[in-house]
Short mmCIF file of all heavy atoms in Angstrom, two decimals:
data_model
loop_
_atom_site.label_atom_id
_atom_site.label_comp_id
_atom_site.label_asym_id
_atom_site.label_seq_id
_atom_site.Cartn_x
_atom_site.Cartn_y
_atom_site.Cartn_z
N TYR A 73 46.24 -53.36 -27.14
CA TYR A 73 47.55 -52.88 -26.68
C TYR A 73 48.57 -53.12 -27.78
O TYR A 73 48.61 -54.19 -28.38
CB TYR A 73 47.93 -53.64 -25.40
CG TYR A 73 49.36 -53.46 -24.98
CD1 TYR A 73 49.74 -52.35 -24.24
CD2 TYR A 73 50.32 -54.40 -25.32
CE1 TYR A 73 51.05 -52.18 -23.84
CE2 TYR A 73 51.63 -54.23 -24.93
CZ TYR A 73 52.00 -53.13 -24.19
OH TYR A 73 53.30 -52.97 -23.81
N VAL A 74 49.42 -52.12 -28.04
CA VAL A 74 50.44 -52.24 -29.09
C VAL A 74 51.84 -52.22 -28.51
O VAL A 74 52.73 -52.88 -29.02
CB VAL A 74 50.27 -51.14 -30.15
CG1 VAL A 74 51.35 -51.23 -31.20
CG2 VAL A 74 48.91 -51.22 -30.80
N GLY A 75 52.07 -51.46 -27.44
CA GLY A 75 53.41 -51.43 -26.87
C GLY A 75 53.54 -50.39 -25.78
O GLY A 75 52.60 -49.66 -25.46
N THR A 76 54.73 -50.34 -25.21
CA THR A 76 55.06 -49.41 -24.13
C THR A 76 56.26 -48.59 -24.56
O THR A 76 57.20 -49.13 -25.14
CB THR A 76 55.38 -50.19 -22.84
OG1 THR A 76 54.19 -50.90 -22.44
CG2 THR A 76 55.82 -49.28 -21.72
N VAL A 77 56.20 -47.29 -24.28
CA VAL A 77 57.33 -46.41 -24.59
C VAL A 77 57.78 -45.71 -23.30
O VAL A 77 56.98 -45.46 -22.41
CB VAL A 77 56.98 -45.37 -25.67
CG1 VAL A 77 56.74 -46.05 -27.01
CG2 VAL A 77 55.78 -44.53 -25.30
N GLN A 78 59.07 -45.43 -23.26
CA GLN A 78 59.66 -44.77 -22.10
C GLN A 78 60.48 -43.58 -22.59
O GLN A 78 61.67 -43.72 -22.87
CB GLN A 78 60.53 -45.73 -21.31
CG GLN A 78 59.75 -46.90 -20.77
CD GLN A 78 60.61 -47.86 -19.98
OE1 GLN A 78 61.51 -47.45 -19.26
NE2 GLN A 78 60.33 -49.13 -20.11
N PRO A 79 59.85 -42.41 -22.69
CA PRO A 79 60.59 -41.22 -23.11
C PRO A 79 61.65 -40.84 -22.08
O PRO A 79 61.65 -41.34 -20.95
CB PRO A 79 59.52 -40.13 -23.20
CG PRO A 79 58.21 -40.81 -23.11
CD PRO A 79 58.45 -42.14 -22.47
N GLN A 80 62.53 -39.93 -22.46
CA GLN A 80 63.61 -39.48 -21.59
C GLN A 80 63.11 -38.76 -20.34
O GLN A 80 63.85 -38.62 -19.38
CB GLN A 80 64.56 -38.56 -22.37
CG GLN A 80 65.31 -39.26 -23.48
CD GLN A 80 66.24 -40.35 -22.95
OE1 GLN A 80 66.87 -40.19 -21.91
NE2 GLN A 80 66.31 -41.45 -23.66
N ASN A 81 61.84 -38.33 -20.32
CA ASN A 81 61.32 -37.61 -19.16
C ASN A 81 61.02 -38.53 -17.98
O ASN A 81 60.56 -38.08 -16.94
CB ASN A 81 60.07 -36.79 -19.53
CG ASN A 81 58.91 -37.65 -19.99
OD1 ASN A 81 58.92 -38.86 -19.85
ND2 ASN A 81 57.90 -37.00 -20.56
N GLY A 82 61.25 -39.84 -18.15
CA GLY A 82 61.07 -40.79 -17.06
C GLY A 82 59.68 -41.38 -16.94
O GLY A 82 59.46 -42.29 -16.16
N LEU A 83 58.71 -40.87 -17.70
CA LEU A 83 57.36 -41.42 -17.66
C LEU A 83 57.30 -42.71 -18.49
O LEU A 83 58.13 -42.93 -19.36
CB LEU A 83 56.35 -40.40 -18.20
CG LEU A 83 56.26 -39.09 -17.41
CD1 LEU A 83 55.33 -38.13 -18.11
CD2 LEU A 83 55.81 -39.34 -15.98
N VAL A 84 56.32 -43.54 -18.20
CA VAL A 84 56.11 -44.77 -18.96
C VAL A 84 54.69 -44.74 -19.49
O VAL A 84 53.74 -44.55 -18.74
CB VAL A 84 56.32 -46.02 -18.08
CG1 VAL A 84 56.04 -47.29 -18.87
CG2 VAL A 84 57.74 -46.04 -17.51
N TRP A 85 54.55 -44.89 -20.82
CA TRP A 85 53.24 -44.84 -21.47
C TRP A 85 52.97 -46.17 -22.17
O TRP A 85 53.82 -46.70 -22.88
CB TRP A 85 53.18 -43.72 -22.51
CG TRP A 85 53.36 -42.37 -21.93
CD1 TRP A 85 54.45 -41.55 -22.05
CD2 TRP A 85 52.42 -41.64 -21.14
NE1 TRP A 85 54.24 -40.38 -21.37
CE2 TRP A 85 53.00 -40.41 -20.80
CE3 TRP A 85 51.13 -41.92 -20.66
CZ2 TRP A 85 52.36 -39.46 -20.03
CZ3 TRP A 85 50.48 -40.98 -19.89
CH2 TRP A 85 51.09 -39.76 -19.59
N HIS A 86 51.78 -46.68 -21.98
CA HIS A 86 51.31 -47.89 -22.65
C HIS A 86 50.35 -47.42 -23.74
O HIS A 86 49.46 -46.62 -23.48
CB HIS A 86 50.65 -48.82 -21.65
CG HIS A 86 51.50 -49.00 -20.43
ND1 HIS A 86 52.61 -49.83 -20.43
CD2 HIS A 86 51.46 -48.41 -19.21
CE1 HIS A 86 53.19 -49.76 -19.23
NE2 HIS A 86 52.51 -48.90 -18.48
N VAL A 87 50.56 -47.91 -24.95
CA VAL A 87 49.83 -47.37 -26.10
C VAL A 87 48.86 -48.41 -26.65
O VAL A 87 49.21 -49.56 -26.88
CB VAL A 87 50.82 -46.93 -27.21
CG1 VAL A 87 50.08 -46.31 -28.39
CG2 VAL A 87 51.86 -45.96 -26.65
N VAL A 88 47.61 -47.97 -26.84
CA VAL A 88 46.59 -48.78 -27.49
C VAL A 88 46.18 -48.05 -28.77
O VAL A 88 46.19 -46.83 -28.83
CB VAL A 88 45.37 -49.04 -26.57
CG1 VAL A 88 45.79 -49.83 -25.34
CG2 VAL A 88 44.67 -47.76 -26.17
N VAL A 89 45.85 -48.83 -29.80
CA VAL A 89 45.54 -48.25 -31.11
C VAL A 89 44.33 -48.94 -31.71
O VAL A 89 44.23 -50.17 -31.69
CB VAL A 89 46.74 -48.38 -32.08
CG1 VAL A 89 46.41 -47.75 -33.43
CG2 VAL A 89 48.00 -47.74 -31.50
N GLU A 90 43.44 -48.15 -32.25
CA GLU A 90 42.28 -48.65 -32.99
C GLU A 90 42.79 -49.52 -34.14
O GLU A 90 43.72 -49.15 -34.84
CB GLU A 90 41.48 -47.46 -33.52
CG GLU A 90 40.22 -47.81 -34.21
CD GLU A 90 39.42 -46.58 -34.58
OE1 GLU A 90 39.94 -45.45 -34.51
OE2 GLU A 90 38.25 -46.76 -34.94
#
Side-chain angles (χ1 to χ4, degrees):
Y73 168 83
V74 178
T76 297
V77 293
Q78 298 180 38
Q80 294 296 322
N81 63 12
L83 298 175
V84 178
W85 297 108
H86 311 283
V87 183
V88 297
V89 180
E90 184 174 13

